[in-house]
Amino acid sequence: MPDPDVARESEWIPFMQDVLKCDEFTIIIGHSSGSQAAMRYAETHNVLGIVLVSACVTDLGIENERASGYYDRPWEWDKIKNNSTFIEQFGSEDDPFLPWSEQMEVAKELNSKLHHYKEKGHFMTSTFPELITFVKIHLK
């Protein structure tokens, strides 16, 4: 993805549309800032589904997050739900960057299926077999 340090919405959303060609046959998997990008994309585009890993709803008072542009307006939860055939979420209580309450708010607002972990942190490992299993099911 372009602009990996700030993850600006103004760069990521056009990239998802114009380069990645995300459409109604696409499963968007977003981790951290990628989750926010997936949700904002689904506000205005039909996608097969979105998978959110370590998702949040506010900039958490962090200037770099605020600069991304994802948090400067209300989330359009109904549009996200209507434009996605499924919404799956993975979150961990011990995430060092995101309070559990933020992840729970995403799950509540989107009525997503939340895979609740207690010891996965921010999912920064090189393997994530649960995610692979889930995606394989939806590719059939």
Side-chain angles (χ1 to χ4, degrees):
M1 294 295 284
D3 188 32
D5 295 326
V6 179
R8 287 176 186 85
E9 179 182 8
S10 61
E11 294 188 34
W12 280 30
I13 300 300
F15 186 83
M16 293 167 72
Q17 179 178 337
D18 302 334
V19 178
L20 298 178
K21 308 283 189 204
C22 296
D23 61 17
E24 67 274 11
F25 304 107
T26 304
I27 298 172
I28 299 175
I29 302 169
H31 171 252
S32 199
S33 295
S35 291
Q36 282 63 261
M39 291 188 293
R40 288 297 186 195
Y41 192 87
E43 286 178 340
T44 57
H45 299 82
N46 289 318
V47 295
L48 180 58
I50 57 175
V51 179
L52 309 172
V53 182
S54 296
C56 65
V57 295
T58 70
D59 63 25
L60 305 167
I62 301 169
E63 179 55 38
N64 196 57
E65 292 297 323
R66 190 173 305 111
S68 71
Y70 296 111
Y71 310 101
D72 60 2
R73 63 197 182 280
W75 291 95
E76 297 187 64
W77 303 114
D78 288 336
K79 288 183 180 180
I80 297 168
K81 290 186 279 191
N82 290 334
N83 289 336
S84 308
T85 60
F86 65 86
I87 302 170
E88 204 87 5
Q89 186 177 346
F90 293 83
S92 185
E93 286 184 33
D94 68 336
D95 191 314
F97 306 113
L98 304 177
W100 182 243
S101 60
E102 290 264 335
Q103 298 177 72
M104 289 295 297
E105 186 172 347
V106 173
K108 179 183 132 238
E109 296 292 345
L110 291 177
N111 195 30
S112 62
K113 180 173 181 199
L114 175 60
H115 299 262
H116 176 181
Y117 297 92
K118 295 185 185 228
E119 297 180 357
K120 293 274 191 181
H122 198 60
F123 297 89
M124 303 280 284
T125 62
S126 60
T127 61
F128 192 180
E130 300 91 343
L131 177 63
I132 300 300
T133 299
F134 171 78
V135 171
K136 284 181 177 179
I137 290 167
H138 282 281
L139 290 177
K140 292 182 179 181

